[in-house]
Amino acid sequence: MDVQLKRGVLDCCVLAVLNRGDSYGYQIVKDLSAVIGISESTLYPILKRLETGGFLTVYAVEHNSRLRKYYKITPQGKQRCEDFLLEFQEITTVYDFIREEMGKEDVKA
Amino acid sequence: MLKHEFLNLLDAHLAQLPLAERQKSLSFYAEMIDDRVEDGMTEEEAVAALGDISELAKQILLETPWQTLIKTKMPRRQWAAWEIVLLIAGAPIWLSLLVAFFAVVFSVYVSVWAVIISLFAAIFSIIVAGLVLVIASFVAIASGPWWVTLLGAGLALIGAGVLTFMAMVGFSKVLIKGTVLMGKGIKSLFIRKEREYENVN
């Protein structure tokens, strides 16, 4: 997959998980493993990037006498997901067009 | 590998980063290991699940803005005052050498083109002479059988001219290729200089 596209998809996957409710690193990995194989080494840069961009905020909660970091989606984060869905609508339209032009419309039906 | 060993190793891999960034990364991975252990894994298993440590460090470094990386890697070099003074004071010497260098290059180009042009002019004149002889032979038909000699000489000249013309085209292609190579050679001279300059710093 194109690097830029993959980034966008992964960012929104993480944000979508957080849209359900605040979560922490290991839980996010577990939630996403059903949809897309994502490792911690991939998740960490994504979380960092989303935090810098203001799409999520971080707060610490004490858990079993240690601190656990929770991530919370921001309104900008929700907007980012909405934008992604709209963008993808455009991509699907283009996809259908390419498919048709390549003479594969029968497959689609 | 145990948790503290893993964290020490990761810390070493991230030595390039500012302290705050490094601590953030380490606490993230420490939490990951703790959560896995809580989930029922042993410490070793939890560390192994995180994957290759150098790959992990690479991902973190790649996401770091390049400004941060460069700041830690390359200190910006400034021209010292004495270097500027030397540069200006030495201008009469290095400037004239530079001009001389380009003058030599330019004269090589000019002489190559002069050779090409003069040879083409010579060929052109041979062909013209041949044509004149051929025409003259027709005029001379009335004055005796030696017009055949004229015609033959004219045709021979034209033939020689066409042959040398073809040879010349090949020759000048080689010459032009040579000058192009020379140009590239001069360019690479400067590129190598720049690389050396970078290495010095």
Side-chain angles (χ1 to χ4, degrees):
Chain A
M1 216 192 287
D2 174 63
V3 178
Q4 211 58 36
L5 185 63
K6 196 172 176 184
R7 253 189 183 193
V9 171
L10 288 176
D11 283 9
C12 286
C13 276
V14 172
L15 288 174
V17 167
L18 295 180
N19 201 38
R20 238 189 264 161
D22 301 358
S23 188
Y24 55 93
Y26 186 46
Q27 188 59 47
I28 296 173
V29 171
K30 280 205 289 192
D31 285 349
L32 280 180
S33 66
V35 192
I36 189 166
I38 191 173
S39 65
E40 284 83 352
S41 59
T42 322
L43 180 67
Y44 179 64
I46 294 172
L47 288 172
K48 219 168 101 178
R49 187 161 68 225
L50 290 173
E51 191 194 347
T52 321
F55 302 111
L56 55 80
T57 52
V58 189
Y59 61 93
V61 171
E62 204 182 304
H63 170 84
N64 277 356
S65 71
R66 64 182 168 93
L67 286 180
R68 192 188 251 167
K69 272 186 181 166
Y70 274 79
Y71 303 90
K72 187 189 190 65
I73 191 167
T74 63
Q76 288 104 295
K78 288 189 188 194
Q79 190 55 49
R80 174 90 189 266
C81 284
E82 298 294 337
D83 291 346
F84 176 80
L85 290 178
L86 282 179
E87 260 172 55
F88 216 83
Q89 202 95 53
E90 281 172 40
I91 293 180
T92 335
T93 314
V94 177
Y95 174 84
D96 287 343
F97 169 78
I98 295 172
R99 226 186 150 111
E100 220 165 281
E101 293 301 310
M102 296 302 283
K104 290 188 175 163
E105 55 223 296
D106 47 319
V107 182
K108 192 182 131 199
Chain B
M1 207 191 306
L2 289 173
K3 182 182 157 192
H4 71 271
E5 292 172 305
F6 171 86
L7 292 178
N8 281 341
L9 209 57
L10 184 62
D11 194 37
H13 272 87
L14 298 177
Q16 220 180 320
L17 293 181
L19 187 68
E21 286 290 319
R22 226 156 57 210
Q23 275 170 349
K24 261 176 111 176
S25 306
L26 292 182
S27 75
F28 177 86
Y29 284 103
E31 185 196 308
M32 279 292 174
I33 294 169
D34 289 340
D35 278 333
R36 276 177 194 272
V37 168
E38 214 169 276
D39 213 22
M41 282 189 192
T42 65
E43 210 173 305
E44 279 96 341
E45 281 171 347
V47 170
L50 292 178
D52 182 33
I53 205 160
S54 56
E55 183 58 35
L56 235 136
K58 207 175 92 191
Q59 289 263 17
I60 296 172
L61 289 173
L62 279 179
E63 272 300 318
T64 310
W66 58 267
Q67 291 97 323
T68 320
L69 291 180
I70 286 177
K71 237 186 272 162
T72 49
K73 203 133 211 197
M74 289 207 308
R76 180 87 186 87
R77 187 181 184 276
Q78 293 257 312
W79 285 81
W82 65 268
E83 281 175 316
I84 298 170
V85 170
L86 211 64
L87 200 68
I88 295 169
I93 299 167
W94 64 258
L95 206 61
S96 56
L97 280 176
L98 199 69
V99 169
F101 175 73
F102 280 106
V104 168
V105 171
F106 181 68
S107 66
V108 169
Y109 272 95
V110 168
S111 48
V112 165
W113 280 103
V115 167
I116 290 173
I117 289 170
S118 60
L119 282 176
F120 271 113
I123 291 163
F124 180 71
S125 66
I126 288 172
I127 292 174
V128 168
L131 283 175
V132 169
L133 279 181
V134 169
I135 293 165
S137 71
F138 286 115
V139 176
I141 287 177
S143 51
W146 55 279
W147 67 272
V148 182
T149 321
L150 279 182
L151 182 63
L155 288 175
L157 279 180
I158 292 172
V162 169
L163 280 178
T164 44
F165 177 78
M166 277 152 72
M168 254 315 283
V169 170
F171 176 60
S172 45
K173 267 185 195 158
V174 170
L175 268 185
I176 289 168
K177 229 180 245 173
T179 54
V180 168
L181 275 181
M182 191 176 84
K184 275 185 190 162
I186 291 167
K187 208 172 152 196
S188 70
L189 212 71
F190 279 90
I191 291 170
R192 205 178 303 139
K193 282 265 158 63
E194 257 168 39
R195 277 205 204 116
E196 277 163 14
Y197 184 71
E198 277 169 12
N199 286 343
V200 165
N201 294 304

